[in-house]
Amino acid sequence: MSKVLLVHAKGGPPLGHVLSRTAAKAEVHLLALSALPPAVAGSAHRLCASVVTPADAHHPDLVTLIASRAEAVGADAVLTFSEYAVVAVAEACEALGLAGAGGAAALARDKRLMRHTWRQHGLPQPEFRPVGTEADLHAAARTLPGPLLLKAAWSAGSTAHQIIRSPHEAPAAWARSRDVMAESAQLGYAELHVAEADAHYVVEQIVTGTAADWFDEPGWGDYVSVEGVVADGTFHPVCLSGRMPTVEPFTERASITPALLDQDAQDRVVDLARRAVDALGLRDCGTHTEIKLGAGGDMWLIETAARFGGAMTVPQIEEVFGLDLVGMLVDHLLGRPVDWPDQALTPAQARGAAGSLVVLAVDGSGRAWPDRRVWDFPTVTADTPLSRGSNLSVVAESSLPDGHLVPVYDPAAGANTMAALCLLSATDARTVLRDFETLVAALPRILPAAQPSLIRPEEVTA
């Protein structure tokens, strides 16, 4: 039986989903660079031939660690679904002579390199400057037309994003972004391979998006993602996911599969995604490309990742289109034939719709809840008036246990301050969107109020 070394770290699709699909295709050996979520620790040991947790995930030579473990178990393929381990796994595959994202993986990880590459290929994107010091940020803020967005070059999940509306805001933005990156590293949400990654930033112009020119109804966000895969250097688009509007600065609230674009619009979006992925020169990996939608058909590239979309993107695709992307990628990396879609699947080919919602302590307009609440999923299912036929579940490994205090939303920390991740299945994408709007409006009302003893003094909101 073929053997696969699966490298686990924070982020990506739920580990339980990934493990079950990988184990159906090969003997799995798990290298856990992050602690296993309690909800899946037991099943991990049942599904895997071995589970190894190194003493130090920030190993001085992570590539050698991965390659050595792959050789020890006789792995025929090595893969990861975590943004933070993508580059290390790609380099390990190169060293082992195995199929992987390839030597260009860093171009799909470091936002500075990504944007330089796209600029060389003349692809539409916001104006940007790489920054490594506060002085660099001051210089960029004086030359780029505002407002601007400061990003950590190796971040994920909208962490360390800071909006800069005038040059005098640059020092505070710089300090806050660096603090958040340090806090994220303590939580395990940080690049595992590049030691100096926390010093790399990019600042870019905030372009004006609009959903009205792309969607027939209100409520959609002004960007979409193209989910796909690169196999033997050829990009295969799978489908598009739509979004609800982000929470300031640009924290994602919900992903919905499929995105309700008409065929012409979908074709134009997929074409831009193809050009973006091709420019990066990836070889064998999942892809997730986010694209901002503007007025009059304008589009701008946000970013591309050399892995499948995180949260519940992969399970949503499996439910809606019947494609096991994890299993298909494992088959491809093992040299087995895979029937990838000829073109991106459309809403007309969908079997219903599915979406994932990040529970944040903000209302539909992005305003903080008026008081503190306790996460309690049974209350949510009992008291939220969802549409007939809709089914809501909670992703346990990505959520707080019932009875825990919902964190105060921190715009700089992004998804790090989420309370839970919920999955909704419905008859169509419009219903998913409306049910999510209903859920967002209901949460601060139906969740139990927090007892004062649960709230630390530093958490008291204004």
Side-chain angles (χ1 to χ4, degrees):
M1 187 177 189
S2 298
K3 299 178 180 179
V4 170
L5 178 67
L6 176 62
V7 180
H8 165 67
K10 290 287 185 75
L15 180 58
H17 181 92
V18 167
L19 277 178
S20 62
R21 274 62 178 177
T22 305
K25 298 291 184 177
E27 178 181 294
V28 183
H29 295 265
L30 184 63
L31 179 60
L33 304 180
S34 297
L36 300 182
V40 298
S43 60
H45 287 277
R46 290 193 300 272
L47 290 170
C48 298
S50 70
V51 178
V52 171
T53 303
D56 182 11
H58 294 272
H59 194 276
D61 190 350
L62 189 55
V63 173
T64 298
L65 174 67
I66 295 169
S68 297
R69 184 59 188 160
E71 290 176 329
V73 302
D76 302 294
V78 181
L79 74 161
T80 187
F81 295 90
S82 167
E83 180 81 349
Y84 305 115
V86 161
V87 176
V89 167
E91 293 186 11
C93 288
E94 290 287 282
L96 294 165
L98 300 176
L107 300 184
R109 181 74 182 95
D110 182 341
K111 295 176 178 62
R112 303 167 306 164
L113 299 178
M114 188 186 306
R115 294 222 173 277
H116 276 302
T117 301
W118 286 339
R119 182 161 62 188
Q120 291 171 350
H121 284 78
L123 298 178
Q125 62 178 335
E127 286 294 320
F128 73 98
R129 299 287 188 277
V131 293
T133 66
E134 185 179 330
D136 291 342
L137 180 57
H138 272 291
R142 288 194 299 268
T143 58
L144 285 175
L148 305 176
L149 181 64
L150 176 65
K151 298 179 177 179
W154 297 81
S155 67
S158 303
T159 55
H161 283 19
Q162 290 283 287
I163 294 177
I164 301 173
R165 295 181 173 84
S166 64
H168 78 267
E169 295 179 349
W174 178 254
R176 184 62 182 135
S177 284
R178 291 182 62 83
D179 286 346
V180 169
M181 287 304 293
E183 294 163 4
S184 295
Q186 292 298 315
L187 296 172
Y189 296 101
E191 170 62 30
L192 295 170
H193 178 47
V194 180
E196 68 278 11
D198 61 350
H200 300 160
Y201 291 79
V202 64
V203 64
E204 60 189 42
Q205 182 184 12
I206 296 177
V207 294
T208 301
T210 178
D213 286 6
W214 296 82
F215 295 93
D216 292 334
E217 57 195 347
W220 293 95
D222 61 4
Y223 72 114
V224 296
S225 59
V226 180
E227 322 304 342
V229 68
V230 178
D232 299 320
T234 299
F235 174 63
H236 300 272
V238 173
C239 67
L240 273 65
S241 297
R243 297 295 195 279
M244 292 180 76
T246 57
V247 180
E248 189 173 335
F250 288 102
T251 302
E252 296 189 11
R253 191 196 288 273
S255 166
I256 300 172
T257 307
L260 291 186
L261 296 183
D262 64 36
Q263 188 64 58
D264 176 67
Q266 175 160 313
D267 289 344
R268 287 186 285 119
V269 169
V270 169
D271 176 68
L272 178 56
R274 184 188 305 278
R275 288 185 285 144
V277 173
D278 287 349
L280 298 177
L282 301 172
R283 196 169 65 224
D284 294 290
C285 60
T287 63
H288 173 76
T289 303
E290 296 179 353
I291 295 174
K292 184 88 163 180
L293 307 174
D298 283 345
M299 294 180 284
W300 302 271
L301 291 167
I302 300 174
E303 61 187 41
T304 286
R307 44 85 184 163
F308 293 131
M312 295 300 287
T313 303
V314 170
Q316 288 167 209
I317 292 170
E318 183 170 329
E319 178 173 341
V320 172
F321 291 111
L323 295 179
D324 171 15
L325 290 185
V326 172
M328 294 167 75
L329 180 60
V330 170
D331 276 341
H332 174 73
L333 294 177
L334 292 173
R336 301 167 184 163
V338 177
D339 186 20
W340 300 108
D342 293 329
Q343 57 186 4
L345 301 172
T346 68
Q349 296 166 281
R351 304 179 303 191
S356 48
L357 177 77
V358 175
V359 176
L360 302 166
V362 290
D363 65 16
S365 298
R367 294 185 296 265
W369 291 353
D371 54 11
R372 303 299 301 279
R373 296 281 165 162
V374 171
W375 175 246
D376 185 72
F377 186 66
T379 297
V380 174
T381 55
D383 295 347
T384 305
L386 300 178
S387 302
R388 182 183 298 274
S390 294
N391 180 57
L392 184 70
S393 59
V394 67
V395 185
E397 67 178 87
S398 303
S399 304
L400 295 175
D402 292 331
H404 279 61
L405 189 67
V406 174
V408 174
Y409 175 65
D410 181 349
N416 286 0
T417 51
M418 78 180 207
L421 180 66
C422 294
L423 176 67
L424 181 78
S425 302
T427 55
D428 55 66
R430 291 179 178 85
T431 302
V432 174
L433 177 62
R434 299 306 167 215
D435 281 350
F436 277 166
E437 291 175 335
T438 298
L439 181 58
V440 168
L443 285 174
R445 174 178 52 83
I446 64 175
L447 287 176
Q451 297 298 315
S453 60
L454 289 176
I455 304 173
R456 298 193 302 269
E458 64 270 21
E459 291 184 317
V460 174
T461 57

